[in-house]
Amino acid sequence: MGKLFNLVLIVLTLCIEIAPFCSCQNSSFISCIEGERQTLLTLKQSFEDPFHRLSSWKGKNCCTWKGVSCDEINGHVVKLNLRATSRFSGETVLGKFSEESSLVAREVNSCLLELRYLEHLDLSGNDFQYSAIPHFFSLMRQLRYLNISNARFNGSVPNNLGNLTGLRVLDVSHDQGPWALRVDDVQWISNLSSLRHLGMAGVYLGEAPDFSPVLNMLPSLLSLHLSLCGLNNSHLSRHPINSTFHRIRHLDLGNNHFTCPVPIMLQNMTSLRVLDLSLNLFSCSIQSSFDNLKSLVHLNLAGNDFSSIENGLISILGNMCYLKSLDLSFNQFQGEKIGKYRNLSGCAGHDLETLDLGSGRTGGQIPDWLGIGGHIPDWLGMLKNLKYLDLSGNQLNGSIPESLGQLSNLETIDLSHNSLEGAISEVHLAALSKLKVLSISSNSLTITIKSNWVPPFQLEYIEMESCKFGTEFPQWLQTQLKAITLVLSNTSISGTLPNWIMDMNLYELDLSHNQINGTLPNFPSNLKRVDLSSNWISGSLPEIIGDMLPQLRYLILSDNLMNGPIPNSLCRIKTLVVLELSKNSLSGNIPNCWRDHHVIEVLDLSSNKLSGVIPSSIGHLDSLRWLDLSNNNLNGELPLDLKSCTSLRLLDVGENALSGNVPKWIGESFRFLTILRLRGNKLKGSIPSQLCQLSADLHILDLAENNIKGRIPHCFGNFTGMVLHGEGDIIPLEPYKYLMYWEDEHLTEVMKGRFLEYTSTLSLLVYLDLSRNKLKGQIPQELTFLTGLIGLNLSHNQLSGTIPKKIGELGMLESLDLSVNELSGVIPSSMSTLTKLSHLNVSYNNFSGQIPNGNQLQTLDDPSIYAGNPLLCGPPLLKKCLDDEPHQGNNDNGRDNPAEKMWFFIVIMSGFATGFWGVVGVLIFKKSWRHAYFLLVDRSKDWVLVHVTLKIASVRNMIKGNRTDE
Amino acid sequence: MAPLSLFSLLLSFLLFLSPAISTNSEGNALHALRSRLSDPTNVLQSWDPTLVNPCTWFHVTCDSNNHVIRLDLGNSNISGILGPELGQLQHLQYLELYKNDIRGKIPKELGNLKDLVGMDLYGNKFEGEIPKSFAKLKSLRFLRLNDNKLTGSIPRELTTLLNLKVFDVSNNDLCGTIPVDGPFSMFSLLSFENNKHLNGPELKGLVPYDFGC
C-alpha cells in the first residue's frame, strides 16, 4: 500500500516539475519545422510499435502528433513524451499483473540530438532491449527533464550526464531485473545543482562512496528515490548541512541494507513528508528515532525487524499530526504495540487513511499483539478518515468491535488469519459504503447477515474462508456485481448454487469444502480459477466447459459426486495450469487431445472410474509436474511418450491394471522426480538398474503389489534424496519450495500396516515399498544408507538371507515390514536403536535366536509381529531362550545384559574355585596342616559349647531372679 | 424414495461426522502438546493442525478408526512441559516420551488413558509426585519412570494394577517404603535403587508406608 502512495507522490512531484513546460501544450496552431519532422519520423522508424502508439505520427504538422509539443513562438519541438502507459493492471490472489504498451528498439536513436531545443524527454517504460544508456544524452545541454526509468537499459549510468547542469528532473530508476544498471562514481551528480527530483531506484550504488557529500551539493532537491540500491549505513554516514536537508520532502530508501541506529542524517530531515524505509534491517525500537519528523504524511517501515514502539502506536499518531498513512506491517514487534487509548490527544490520527499492521499469514509471536489482551481496540473506530486497515495475521482474539463499522471511508479491511470470534452482522457493515476489499478469512467468525440484506457497498474482493454461514448460498452476494474474487471455502454453505453466479464478473471462485449439491452451474466466462472441491456436486461435466471458460487456469472439482466422461473441450483451454478432477466417478477414456501449447502443470484424475490406456498425447505436456492417474481402471503399458514430460515431480499410476515391464526409461528421463508410485498394477519383469538413475530428489518409491521378479538392485543405496544430511535433521525441503501446489496434493501409502492418505505432510515422507512382488535374493546392505527412510516395506516377497546388520542406522524409521519372506538368522541387535519405530512386522520368516530388547523394541510387545518364526525366543514371545541359544539381545538399561551375566558367573565361579581348592586342596595334600586344622575345629567346637551352656544357665538364673522380685 | 435417500444421506453424514469430531479433538490435544514443547530438531514439523486427523503426523499412530493409539517421541531432543490435554487421547495405548528434556509435573490427567499399555517417561526431568490417578490405568503393563527427579512416596493405589509387569522408578528422589502387594511382589529391587529416601520393602503395620517422607 505504501508503494502506491509513493507512486502517487512521484507522479505529483513530476507534475509539479512539468508544470513550467506546459505552457506549450496547445500547439496545434503552430506548424513544426520540417527538419525536426524528419527527425521524428527517423525516430519513429527506429521503433517497433506493436500497440500503434505512434499511429498519429503522420502528416505535416508534427506539433500535433501525440506526445510531441512545440514552442509556441518558434515552433521547435521542446517536449517529447513517449512514456509507455500501462494498458492493464490489477491484483488478484493469482498475483499482480500489468501489461505496458511499450515501444521497442535495439537502442536509442541518436537522431534525438537534432532536436536542439528539446527540454523535456520522457522515454520511460519502453523497451530498449538492455542496451547501454547512450552517451549522447550529455550533449543535449538544453534538457531540463530526463526520464529514462524502467526502459530496459543495461550497464553503467554514464558519468557525463553530469554535463546536463540544467536538469531539474533525472530519473534512471530501474525495476526490471536486479541491478541491471549501476553507478560506481556519484561525484558527477553533484554538478546537477538545479536538481529537484532524482530517481535511481533499483540502480546498484553499493560500490559507490558515501552519498551525503553529493546530497550537500544539491540545494534544490525535493525528492530522492534510492530504493533497492544496495545501500547501507556507510552511504549516509556524514552529518547533513542543515540548509540542504531541511528541504527534502520525499525520501525513499526502501529495500536496502540499513540497520539501527537510524542514520542521524535521516533523524534530522524535519521537512520530510514521505519517508520509506521498508524492507531494511532495522531491529531497534521505532519511537525515538523518528521523533523529529513531525511533518510526515506517509511513513513506511514495513518489512523490518523493528522490535517495539515504546509508548505504542498512539504515541506516533500523537506526534505526527499530518500522518495519512502508516505501514508497520511485517515487523517483529514484541509486547505492547498500539498502546491503550486514553484520549486521542491533540491531533492523533485525525488524518490517518492507511493503517497497516498486518503480518499476512505468518502471524505475530505474541497473542496480546495490541497490548490489550489481543483484542482489536475500540478506538480504531475513531480514526474517521481511515480507508485502509490491515490487522491480518496477528493472533488477535475477541470479537470485532462494532465501532469499526463506523469507519464510513473504509475501502479495505483485512482481519484475516487471526483468532477472532463472534458474529458478523449487518451492523458491522451497514455504514461501510465505500468498502471494496473485505478479507476476514481464517478466524472463528459466524456470519449472521440476513439473506435479503442489500449491502451499501460494491465489493471487488471478498474473502471469507472458514467463516460460518451455515445457510444456503448467501443471496446478498447477488448485488456484488463488481466482485472479481469470491472465496467462501469451508463456510458450511449448503444447497445448490444460484444461477446468478453467472452474472458476476468473477476471476476467482473458491467454494471448496462446503455441502453444495446439485449440478455444476454456468460459470462467468472471465473465470481464471474455480475451486469447488469437497462438495456434493453431481452430474457430469458440461461437454463445452472448455469453450465456456476460455481463460481458465485452475479447475479444481475433486472430491465430489460427478460422473460421465472428461470432455475433450478441456484440451481447448490453452491457459489451463491445474486440472484436478480426482475422487469422483468419472468414466470413459482420458482425453487424447493434448498439444504442445498446453501449460498444464498439475493433472490429477485419480480415484475415478477411467478406463482405456494412458493417452500418448500426455507426452506433449512438457510443463507437467504432477501426474496422478492412480486408482482407476487404466490398462496397457506406460506410453513411451511420457518420456517427454521431463519436468515431472510426481508420477502416480498406482492401482490400475497396467501391464508390461517396469520401463527402463523412467530412470533416464525424470531428473526431478520426487515420487514414483506404480503400486497395484500387473507390471512384470525385474527392477531395471536404470531406475537408480532417478533424480537425487526421489523421496518415495512404491513398486508394491506387482509381479516384479529378480533381486533388489544394490544401487538403490544411491537414492540420495532418501539420505539424511546431518544428525537429527529431516530431509531438506529445498526441492519443494518451487513446487507451489505441493500442499494441496495427496498420496496414499501403506504406513504402519494401513493405508494412510498423506496431504500436507507428504513433502516430509521418505518411503520405499517393494512389498507383494516376487523378489528374491538378499536385502542389499546398501539399503541401510537410506537414513532418511520413514517407512520400509519389503514384505510378501521371497527374500532370503539376513537382515542387514546396520539396520539400526535407519534412525528415522517408523514403520518396518519384512514379514512373509524367507529371511533367516538372528534379528540384529542394532534394531533396538530404532527409537522412532512404532510399527514392526517380521512374522513368517525363519528368524532364530533371541529377540533383541531395548528402548523402543520393548514397547512393541505384540507377539504376533514375531509369529511364524519357530526358532525365535525371548520376550514378548512366551518361548524362553536356552542358554546356548544364539542371541544378540541388548538392553540399554543394562539389567539383563547376557554378556554381563556370563562374566558375573565366570568371576564368581573362578573365585569360588580359588577359595575352595585353596583350602581343601592343601588339606588333602599336607598331613600336618590337616591335623592342625581339624584340631582347631575340635577346640573351637568345645569352646562354643561351653560358652553356650554357661550363657543359657545365667539367663535362666536371671529369669528366676526376676520372678522372685515380683 | 426421496425421504429415504435424504435419511440415508443424513445418516452417512452423521457417521462421517462422528469420528471426525472425536479424532479432531485428539489432533487438538496433540497440537496443544506441541505448543508446550520446544523442538530444536524439528521432529514435530509434520504436526499440521489443519489436517482432519493427526494420523499422518510423524510419531503418531492411529487405529483403523483414526484414533491415536501410539505417541512415539522417545529420544527426540524435545523439552518443555506436559499439559492436561494429553488426557484427551482416550484411546492411547503407548505413551513414549523417554530420554528427552521434559520438565514439570506428570499431569494427573494421564490417569484417564484407560487403554494405556505402556508409559515410558524415563530419562527426563519430571518432578513432583507420581500421580495417584495412575491407579485407574487398568491395562497398564509397562510403567518406566526411572531417571527423573520425582519426589514423594510410591502411591499404594498402584498395587491394584494387576497387569503391571514392568515398573521402574530407580534414580529418582522418592521416599517412604516399597510396596509389596499385588504386582509389586514380583519387581526386582533394582527397579527402586538410587532413591535416597526410599527405605526398603514395606513392613506392614510396623512402619507407615510414607516413613521418612
Side-chain angles (χ1 to χ4, degrees), chain A residues 385-409:
Chain A
N385 290 311
L386 215 53
K387 290 181 177 170
Y388 181 101
L389 177 61
D390 184 348
L391 300 175
S392 64
N394 280 309
Q395 301 185 12
L396 296 168
N397 54 33
S399 57
I400 298 175
E402 285 183 11
S403 68
L404 290 193
Q406 306 305 312
L407 297 171
S408 55
N409 288 307

Side-chain angles (χ1 to χ4, degrees), chain A residues 929-944:
Chain A
W929 283 29
R930 185 164 70 222
H931 188 245
Y933 173 75
F934 283 116
L935 204 67
L936 177 73
V937 171
D938 273 348
R939 277 187 191 157
S940 310
K941 187 194 76 185
D942 288 348
W943 183 87
V944 168

Side-chain angles (χ1 to χ4, degrees), chain A residues 612-766:
Chain A
V613 297
I614 298 175
S616 56
S617 67
I618 283 188
H620 289 288
L621 304 175
D622 52 7
S623 29
L624 201 60
R625 302 210 269 186
W626 193 285
L627 178 58
D628 191 348
L629 305 176
S630 62
N631 199 8
N632 281 293
N633 300 318
L634 302 171
N635 54 40
E637 298 192 11
L638 273 173
L640 186 63
D641 307 71
L642 214 53
K643 252 177 102 163
S644 317
C645 302
T646 50
S647 309
L648 273 182
R649 301 293 201 276
L650 170 135
L651 175 58
D652 185 356
V653 292
E655 285 125 354
N656 279 292
L658 299 176
S659 52
N661 291 336
V662 179
K664 288 178 181 164
W665 49 261
I666 287 190
E668 294 156 1
S669 310
F670 301 137
R671 294 268 162 241
F672 304 104
L673 208 63
T674 306
I675 297 175
L676 176 59
R677 191 170 177 276
L678 306 177
R679 155 186 291 274
N681 280 293
K682 297 172 184 168
L683 299 174
K684 56 187 188 348
S686 59
I687 302 176
S689 60
Q690 286 88 340
L691 210 58
C692 301
Q693 296 169 23
L694 273 171
S695 81
D697 295 338
L698 192 72
H699 280 197
I700 296 177
L701 176 60
D702 186 350
L703 306 177
E705 295 185 52
N706 280 292
N707 293 317
I708 301 171
K709 292 182 180 138
R711 294 164 170 270
I712 302 173
H714 287 271
C715 60
F716 267 23
N718 299 348
F719 290 135
T720 48
M722 301 188 183
V723 179
L724 208 61
H725 303 277
E727 200 174 329
D729 266 334
I730 44 112
I731 296 280
L733 286 174
E734 276 77 25
Y736 308 108
K737 281 184 188 162
Y738 309 103
L739 190 54
M740 56 190 284
Y741 318 108
W742 191 272
E743 293 218 332
D744 298 327
E745 296 308 333
H746 60 98
L747 190 82
T748 303
E749 291 295 358
V750 177
M751 273 287 276
K752 305 180 181 180
R754 54 186 294 243
F755 281 94
L756 284 179
E757 186 176 16
Y758 285 86
T759 50
S760 70
T761 55
L762 178 57
S763 62
L764 300 171
L765 188 62
V766 183

Side-chain angles (χ1 to χ4, degrees), chain A residues 30 55 104 171 212 275 641 658 810 846 853 883 908 944 956:
Chain A
I30 314 140
S55 56
V104 185
D171 202 330
S212 22
L275 177 60
D641 307 71
L658 299 176
L810 302 180
N846 300 316
N853 198 357
D883 278 350
I908 295 258
V944 168
R956 274 187 186 154

